[in-house]
Amino acid sequence: MKQKKFHRIIFKNTGLFGLSQLIKMGVRLVSNKVAALFLGPMGIGIIGLLENILALIQGFTNFGIASSSVREIALVTNDTLEENLQEQRLLKIIYKWALTTGVLGLLVTLLFAKRISLEVFESESNYKWIMVLGIYFIFTSISTIRIAILQAKTKVVSIVKYNIVIAIFSSIISIIGYYFFGINGIIPVVLFTSLIGFLVSLYFTRNIKILPSSISIKQTFKEGLPMAKLGLLLSVSVIFGQICFYLIRWFLKENYSFEILGLYQVSNTILVGYLGLVFTAMSNDFYPRLCNYENDKESFNNLVNDQTELALFIVVPAVFVLYLIAPYLIKLLYSKEFLEVLLILKIGLVAIVLKAIAWPIGYIPLIKGNKLLYLKQNLLGDGINVIASIVFFYYFGLLGLGLAMVVMFLISGIYNYYVAINYYNFKFRKDTLRVLFFSIISSIIALFSIFIFDFILFNPILIILTLVSGIYSLRHLKNKI
């Protein structure tokens, strides 16, 4: 019965988050289409590079407070007065750290504005706009912390509403900016989007109480330091990942062109931005919930197994559908200029199935408090990604970028499982292993069918696989929920 309860809770909350992500994806389709039409592959490449650099600065300056605070808040959240006061004190400390790290991001941006402008736009002429963009880090730091608090307190409905509102406003801003100003609208769009995120996050966390009494700077630093230490390790992982993505983008831009960089950016948008929404939706509920079962071995293992099954039930049919409609989807979302992205997706889509297996077990060391082991897992995956992407692109072109993703998730998945069984005695249940086997075999068959028939709508093997996987997933979900 407990296992059915887990499945029911996971499915319900993932469904709510999934709904917001679908709406988010829907409104982004329009803004992406506008960006593709008015910016072209070059403009898309610039957006990807700018976002990469902003993420790097944020990784260096935010100390991972948002990520580490989720666990701490989840552990102290309670209805008792004593623990409620403890939570309010913790929230006040977290807010102060958020503002401080945001200001630090602003200072770094001011310091390197000319260099960033030269790297992104190949000219220093936009450095004043880059300096103004530094405010982005204050807005983003505060909004990210506030949404992390909602996540820790499992305020599912509030997070869903926040995602929907942000998606709608962000798309409107993007459409106006790109339509009227083209490439010159990229920085204002990023800045105004972060401002909207900041304002909306304030609204949705307005009823969350913090300690009314003041806390000294010394106490704020002392009590927030443990979170900063954990967050710093998580930040190292994020920073290293962003550096790896930057190296791939730099390699493509310097040795090939902004157009190739744009194609790579679009592939990431589809694989990470669209299919990745499944994992984003799940992580909002999975991470804080898993924290609650840290000391309950049976429930902990069952929750990881259930999450793995649910991820595969959703991802596998979604991947097969994307294989069928990818050419039409790219023309709809972007334009014919981006059809070469299909070469990346040809193998890259299968990588998402592997990610669905590696992703839930990858959380285990983090929840168990083994920060260094969690860091090793992430560094291994990102390191493999950058090396494989550069080497495989050199030999196989765009096809190699998709192959690199498969290699990354295959090796990191094997390592994550090795860590889970050897350090934490984790095991996949028999029913979970059957789902894994079905997912992997059907994905291999789908991959072979793509190399035989290429991307055509009436691929008989893929149509059968899509129907079978859809029925398989629905039947199992019905039994488990």
Side-chain angles (χ1 to χ4, degrees), residues 13-192:
N13 289 341
T14 299
L16 283 171
F17 284 119
L19 175 63
S20 71
Q21 298 298 331
L22 282 173
I23 295 172
K24 187 176 178 179
M25 183 175 69
V27 293
R28 278 180 63 185
L29 297 183
V30 181
S31 57
N32 282 344
K33 184 70 174 181
V34 172
L37 291 175
F38 294 101
L39 305 183
M42 180 179 176
I44 298 292
I46 290 173
I47 292 173
L49 193 57
L50 180 62
E51 288 176 346
N52 196 173
I53 290 173
L54 293 176
L56 266 174
I57 296 173
Q58 198 162 24
F60 276 110
T61 59
N62 68 5
F63 300 104
I65 296 296
S67 300
S68 59
S69 64
V70 171
R71 183 176 185 272
E72 298 303 315
I73 297 166
L75 292 175
V76 300
T77 296
N78 203 286
D79 292 330
T80 65
L81 179 61
E82 182 182 347
E83 292 190 339
N84 192 258
L85 290 173
Q86 185 184 354
E87 177 193 307
Q88 291 179 23
R89 182 179 181 85
L90 178 62
L91 293 182
K92 187 156 192 171
I93 290 169
I94 290 169
Y95 284 159
K96 286 191 173 186
W97 272 82
L99 179 59
T100 304
T101 58
V103 171
L104 184 58
L106 168 62
L107 295 175
V108 171
T109 308
L110 295 175
L111 188 62
F112 293 100
K114 287 188 177 180
R115 180 60 195 172
I116 295 169
S117 177
L118 184 63
E119 189 63 32
V120 176
F121 297 99
E122 298 188 331
S123 165
E124 292 183 353
S125 60
N126 288 302
Y127 84 94
K128 289 183 179 179
W129 269 110
I130 297 293
M131 293 175 74
V132 174
L133 187 58
I135 306 172
Y136 160 92
F137 292 100
I138 295 178
F139 293 151
T140 304
S141 181
I142 294 173
S143 60
T144 303
I145 285 290
R146 286 179 173 270
I147 298 310
I149 291 167
L150 291 178
Q151 182 184 354
K153 295 171 75 64
T154 60
K155 301 288 186 181
V156 177
V157 175
S158 294
I159 298 174
V160 168
K161 289 179 180 178
Y162 170 83
N163 286 332
I164 292 172
V165 173
I166 290 299
I168 293 171
F169 277 103
S170 299
S171 293
I172 293 171
I173 292 169
S174 300
I175 291 167
I176 294 171
Y178 299 148
Y179 179 79
F180 287 103
F181 304 105
I183 288 177
N184 292 327
I186 291 175
I187 292 178
V189 165
V190 173
L191 184 58
F192 280 105

